[in-house]
């Protein structure tokens, strides 16, 4: 009894400590603070202050003109950055053509050695272009995982305070699954896959030059198989997520309407007032949810568009270089460049599929019933 008598005043002291739950506006501002630096710099000035002030219309500036302006700026910057590796590859193709022309007059043994040297120079130039592009794709996939990790507490917090418990649980489970997929891709699959693909690229070129065999379709087959599997997984995830989200929305709608009916009809005197207040509160939360969904979707686009544009420009440059190689009488080198472009297609497909799945998750979060 004495111990209880001593602990009771201490317990009363704890009751005077201020405490409060984080508001949905603070959850949106915390997501903004967790964005990568390049994404935060690309967003309009003053957006952070408006989000921290709880302005639900702050994301209205993230409209189509803003996105098109960012797309044009990203294309210009990426094109400038891609000029150097593409010019180097094209110059290497011209050098290989000169070496091939010289090899025709140098005898059989010396000519074969010169052709191998030309092929090696093409491979080195391709590696200097493809390896940074592939690493950029891997970093982008990791960034999608970080965005998903930052989006998870936002979706849970906003869903919890808006009464959409089922929809929040579905969003949290699928975000967790997307995080698991991203971790497996970045840690165990993508970089070994690049090593395997480029290894087949080297073997295929030297086999073509020695005229013993042809493995030109191996890299393309790897690309097709991996892209098919990744697309299949992404489609399955999206379909099941959409189905579960629809069921969760129905359950949340019934729950919210039941609570509104009960508060409006079963509570004497204050029931109608509470029901009307709850309606206004849920409507404001719907606006906050829409604003948060817009911020998440636009931040993803700002993050993935520059890498996608870079991969597309390199892909177009590789196609042009392969065509030039064929015109200059270097068909083996041209086929090798086309095989290297398949590795770029593989990286592009990985980033695109994961981005689409993330956008679908954001759409399911934004369209959840809150009023």
């Amino acid at each position: 009894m004495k111990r209880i008598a001593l602990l009771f005043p201490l317990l009363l002291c704890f009751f005077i400590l201020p405490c409060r739950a984080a508001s949905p506006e603070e959850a949106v501002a915390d997501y903004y603070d967790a964005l990568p630096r390049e994404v935060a710099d690309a967003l309009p000035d003053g957006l952070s202050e408006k989000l921290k002030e709880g302005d639900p219309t702050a994301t209205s500036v993230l409209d189509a003109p803003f996105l098109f302006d960012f797309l044009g700026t990203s294309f210009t910057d990426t094109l400038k950055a891609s000029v150097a590796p593409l010019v180097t590859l094209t110059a290497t193709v011209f050098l290989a053509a000169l070496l091939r022309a010289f090899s025709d007059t140098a005898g059989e043994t010396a000519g074969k050695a010169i052709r191998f040297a030309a092929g090696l120079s093409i491979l080195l130039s391709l590696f200097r272009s493809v390896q940074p592009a592939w690493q950029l794709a891997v970093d982008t996939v990791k960034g999608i995982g970080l965005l998903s990790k930052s989006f998870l507490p936002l979706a849970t917090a906003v869903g919890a305070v808006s009464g959409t418990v089922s929809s929040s649980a579905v969003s949290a489970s699928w975000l967790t699954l997307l995080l698991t997929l991203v971790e497996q891709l970045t840690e165990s699959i993508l970089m070994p896959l690049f090593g395997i693909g480029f290894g087949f690229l080297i073997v295929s070129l030297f086999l073509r030059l020695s005229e013993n065999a042809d493995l030109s379709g191996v890299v393309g087959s790897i690309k097709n198989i991996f892209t098919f599997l990744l697309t299949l997984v992404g489609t399955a995830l999206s379909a099941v997520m959409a189905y579960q989200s629809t069921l969760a929305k129905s359950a949340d709608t019934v729950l919210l309407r039941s609570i509104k009916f009960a508060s409006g009809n079963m509570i004497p005197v204050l029931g109608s007032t509470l029901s009307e207040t709850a309606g206004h509160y849920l409507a404001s939360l719907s606006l906050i949810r829409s604003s948060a969904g817009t911020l998440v979707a636009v931040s993803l686009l700002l993050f993935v568009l520059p890498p996608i544009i870079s991969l597309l420009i390199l892909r177009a440059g590789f196609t042009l270089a392969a065509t030039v190689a064929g015109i200059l009488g270097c068909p083996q080198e041209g086929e090798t460049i086309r095989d290297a472009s398949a590795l770029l297609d593989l990286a592009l497909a990985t980033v695109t599929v994961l981005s689409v799945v993330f956008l679908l998750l954001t759409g399911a979060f934004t369209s959840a019933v809150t009023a």
Side-chain angles (χ1 to χ4, degrees), residues 267-305:
I267 302 176
V269 183
L270 298 178
S272 59
T273 303
L274 290 175
S275 178
E276 184 178 356
T277 303
H280 290 302
Y281 173 72
L282 292 176
S284 65
L285 282 177
S286 179
L287 185 58
I288 293 173
R289 180 189 289 270
S290 177
S291 176
T294 301
L295 176 62
V296 173
V298 171
S299 63
L300 174 70
L301 291 176
L302 296 181
F303 185 74
V304 302
L305 279 178

Side-chain angles (χ1 to χ4, degrees), residues 19 56 66 149 167 198-199 254 288 309 346 365:
C19 62
F66 167 75
K149 199 171 185 179
S167 298
F198 204 86
V254 173
I288 293 173
I309 293 173
L346 190 56
F365 161 77

Side-chain angles (χ1 to χ4, degrees), residues 3-358:
R3 292 181 179 179
I4 296 177
L6 291 175
L7 290 176
F8 186 71
L10 294 176
L11 184 61
L12 293 177
C13 293
F14 284 116
F15 285 158
I16 66 175
L17 294 177
C19 62
R20 65 183 181 89
S23 64
E25 294 85 353
E26 290 177 344
V28 178
D30 290 340
Y31 176 81
Y32 181 91
D33 294 335
L35 290 175
R37 182 180 56 81
E38 58 270 20
V39 176
D41 293 340
L43 290 170
D45 297 332
L47 180 61
S48 175
E49 289 75 13
K50 292 182 179 179
L51 290 174
K52 291 179 180 178
E53 292 172 0
D55 185 0
T57 62
T59 57
S60 60
V61 295
L62 304 178
D63 50 8
F66 167 75
L67 289 177
F68 281 115
D69 182 67
F70 176 79
L71 184 63
T73 303
S74 299
F75 180 81
T76 303
D77 295 340
T78 306
L79 184 62
K80 292 178 181 178
S82 303
V83 167
L86 291 178
V87 168
T88 301
L89 178 61
T90 305
T92 307
V93 170
F94 278 100
L95 176 62
L98 290 175
L99 291 176
R100 268 186 169 271
F102 178 73
S103 67
D104 294 336
T105 61
E108 182 178 356
T109 303
K112 185 175 291 187
I114 293 173
R115 287 193 293 272
F116 272 94
L120 182 61
S121 64
I122 291 289
L123 285 174
L124 291 176
S125 180
L126 287 174
F127 184 80
R128 291 185 59 186
S129 300
V130 176
Q131 196 275 335
W134 191 272
Q135 186 62 51
L136 176 64
V138 174
D139 294 339
T140 303
V141 172
K142 289 181 180 178
I144 294 175
L146 292 176
L147 290 176
S148 303
K149 199 171 185 179
S150 302
F151 179 44
L152 183 57
L154 171 61
T156 305
V158 176
V161 298
S162 61
T164 54
V165 181
S166 300
S167 298
S168 299
V170 170
S171 299
S173 61
W174 286 106
L175 280 170
T176 304
L177 188 59
L178 179 62
L179 277 172
T180 304
L181 177 61
V182 167
E183 288 176 357
Q184 292 299 319
L185 285 173
T186 54
E187 294 178 3
S188 307
I189 297 178
L190 289 180
M191 291 311 295
L193 188 64
F194 170 73
I196 293 172
F198 204 86
F200 275 111
L201 200 70
I202 296 173
V203 174
S204 177
L205 175 61
F206 286 116
L207 286 178
R208 287 195 196 101
L209 294 175
S210 61
E211 299 180 354
N212 289 327
D214 189 3
L215 297 177
S216 58
V218 174
V219 178
S221 299
I222 293 174
K223 179 202 74 172
N224 292 334
I225 292 173
F226 183 79
T227 303
F228 172 76
L229 292 176
L230 188 62
T231 305
L232 182 63
V233 171
T235 303
L237 290 178
S238 302
V240 177
M241 179 200 64
Y243 176 72
Q244 288 189 353
S245 298
T246 302
L247 295 179
K249 290 177 192 176
S250 301
D252 290 331
T253 302
V254 173
L255 176 62
L256 289 174
R257 288 181 177 177
S258 300
I259 294 174
K260 187 176 181 180
F261 174 81
S263 63
N265 295 276
M266 297 183 181
I267 302 176
V269 183
L270 298 178
S272 59
T273 303
L274 290 175
S275 178
E276 184 178 356
T277 303
H280 290 302
Y281 173 72
L282 292 176
S284 65
L285 282 177
S286 179
L287 185 58
I288 293 173
R289 180 189 289 270
S290 177
S291 176
T294 301
L295 176 62
V296 173
V298 171
S299 63
L300 174 70
L301 291 176
L302 296 181
F303 185 74
V304 302
L305 279 178
I308 289 176
I309 293 173
S310 177
L311 291 171
L312 288 174
I313 291 176
L314 284 176
R315 178 71 171 79
F318 277 23
T319 301
L320 178 62
T323 304
V324 171
I327 294 174
L328 295 178
C330 303
Q332 291 89 350
E333 288 82 355
E335 289 298 322
T336 301
I337 296 174
R338 287 191 176 89
D339 287 344
S341 66
L343 291 175
L344 297 179
D345 292 339
L346 190 56
L348 183 63
T350 304
V351 174
T352 303
V353 170
L354 293 177
S355 300
V356 169
V357 173
F358 189 90

